């Protein structure tokens, strides 16, 4: 199965600043990569799919890039509501697999 | 609006089985696959399997093959997940999720609220 890794494990950023989260796949997943946001006690929320397409209702400050094995989620001008866990997920091969997550915390 | 409403928390002993439900509303039930995904405490999300709500065809993670059964009741717009021979490592929040559009088996757009399953002697 494809193993997903994410870095950093924890990212401390001040509100209003930019956050850059990384995701790596153990093999080529083309652009079949999604990003999710999850807050404590809540279900994950789909943010990005096909590596760079925002899901309906997701603010433009969320952007995704990359293809193959290296991907990035960028959140420009962080707002208080953005501090959460972020997971990447590949859907190029079965089984669907998720990264271990990045905790985005307030600096 | 699309809603997936799951059954409540369960506490089970090792070796027992658990059966969870996921009731769908707000869309045509048979047009979408429904997935089950779980998350052990402090761990990453783990995809478990899906069911085509129309045909009943299923696909399971090899890690759970033999212990996992996903079924649906079209008349009730409900999907069920049963996991047998429970171990302490199965303690997790279990989510059902639906795809983005008809025929989509990979994008998990809509999620249930989750159900905690605790396996403890």
């Amino acid at each position: 199965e494809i193993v997903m890794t994410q870095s950093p494990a924890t990212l401390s950023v001040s509100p209003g600043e930019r956050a850059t989260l990384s995701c790596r796949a153990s093999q080529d997943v083309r652009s079949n990569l999604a990003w999710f946001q999850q807050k404590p006690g809540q279900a994950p929320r789909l943010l990005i799919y096909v590596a760079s397409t925002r899901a309906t209702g997701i603010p433009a400050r969320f952007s995704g890039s990359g293809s193959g094995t290296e991907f990035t989620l960028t959140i420009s001008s962080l707002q208080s509501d953005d501090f959460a866990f972020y997971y990447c997920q590949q859907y190029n091969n079965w089984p669907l697999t998720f990264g271990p997550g990045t905790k985005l915390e307030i600096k | 609006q699309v809603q997936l409403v799951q059954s409540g928390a369960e506490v089970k002993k090792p070796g027992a089985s658990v059966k969870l439900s996921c009731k769908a509303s707000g869309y045509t039930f048979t047009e979408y696959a429904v997935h089950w995904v779980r998350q052990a405490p402090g761990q990453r999300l783990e995809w478990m399997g899906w069911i085509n709500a129309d045909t009943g065809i299923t696909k399971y993670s090899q890690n759970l093959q033999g212990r996992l059964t996903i079924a649906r009741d079209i008349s009730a717009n409900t999907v069920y997940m049963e996991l047998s021979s429970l171990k302490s490592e199965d303690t997790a929040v279990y989510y059902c999720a639906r795809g983005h559009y008809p025929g989509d088996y990979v994008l998990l757009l809509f999620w249930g609220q989750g159900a905690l399953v605790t396996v403890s002697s």
Side-chain angles (χ1 to χ4, degrees):
Chain A
E1 76 179 44
I2 295 176
V3 177
M4 308 299 293
T5 55
Q6 292 184 242
S7 61
T10 303
L11 182 61
S12 299
V13 183
S14 301
E17 294 189 341
R18 172 190 296 252
T20 302
L21 290 68
S22 296
C23 172
R24 176 176 291 180
S26 62
Q27 57 185 274
D28 185 358
V29 298
R30 300 185 293 176
S31 294
N32 296 318
L33 191 285
W35 288 94
F36 292 85
Q37 177 193 69
Q38 187 179 33
K39 297 178 180 178
Q42 296 186 15
R45 175 193 183 196
L46 180 65
L47 299 175
I48 300 282
Y49 59 99
V50 200
S52 61
T53 301
R54 281 189 302 277
T56 303
I58 302 304
R61 65 180 182 274
F62 291 90
S63 63
S65 63
S67 66
T69 61
E70 302 281 344
F71 300 89
T72 300
L73 175 69
T74 302
I75 313 169
S76 63
S77 190
L78 279 162
Q79 300 189 6
S80 57
D81 190 50
D82 299 334
F83 293 96
F85 286 87
Y86 290 84
Y87 297 93
C88 59
Q89 176 232 326
Q90 68 79 24
Y91 52 92
N92 193 68
N93 287 47
W94 297 103
L96 306 181
T97 50
F98 294 82
T102 291
K103 180 182 180 182
L104 180 57
E105 64 177 26
I106 300 175
K107 187 174 182 180
Chain B
Q1 72 283 21
V2 174
Q3 281 195 303
L4 299 172
V5 178
Q6 298 183 228
S7 51
E10 302 265 8
V11 179
K12 296 292 182 181
K13 294 193 183 302
S17 297
V18 66
K19 187 172 184 178
L20 304 178
S21 67
C22 172
K23 183 171 177 58
S25 61
Y27 69 95
T28 303
F29 179 71
T30 52
E31 288 187 349
Y32 294 83
V34 173
H35 298 247
W36 287 88
V37 177
R38 69 180 180 177
Q39 187 172 36
Q43 301 300 310
R44 70 181 73 191
L45 296 153
E46 179 188 6
W47 175 79
M48 301 175 68
W50 56 249
I51 185 166
N52 178 314
D54 182 25
T55 63
I57 292 173
T58 55
K59 185 175 184 67
Y60 300 142
S61 167
Q62 277 197 324
N63 292 343
L64 297 170
Q65 199 88 36
R67 294 202 298 139
L68 176 64
T69 302
I70 301 176
R72 93 292 191 217
D73 180 344
I74 295 175
S75 66
N77 281 10
T78 299
V79 173
Y80 301 93
M81 186 284 297
E82 184 169 22
L83 189 62
S84 62
S85 302
L86 289 169
K87 315 167 193 176
S88 58
E89 308 91 270
D90 295 317
T91 294
V93 176
Y94 288 74
Y95 295 99
C96 59
R98 197 210 81 177
H100 191 328
Y101 47 82
D104 168 27
Y105 285 83
V106 295
L107 293 177
L108 307 175
L109 179 58
F110 295 100
W111 293 67
Q113 81 276 20
L116 174 63
V117 174
T118 303
V119 182
S120 174
S121 55

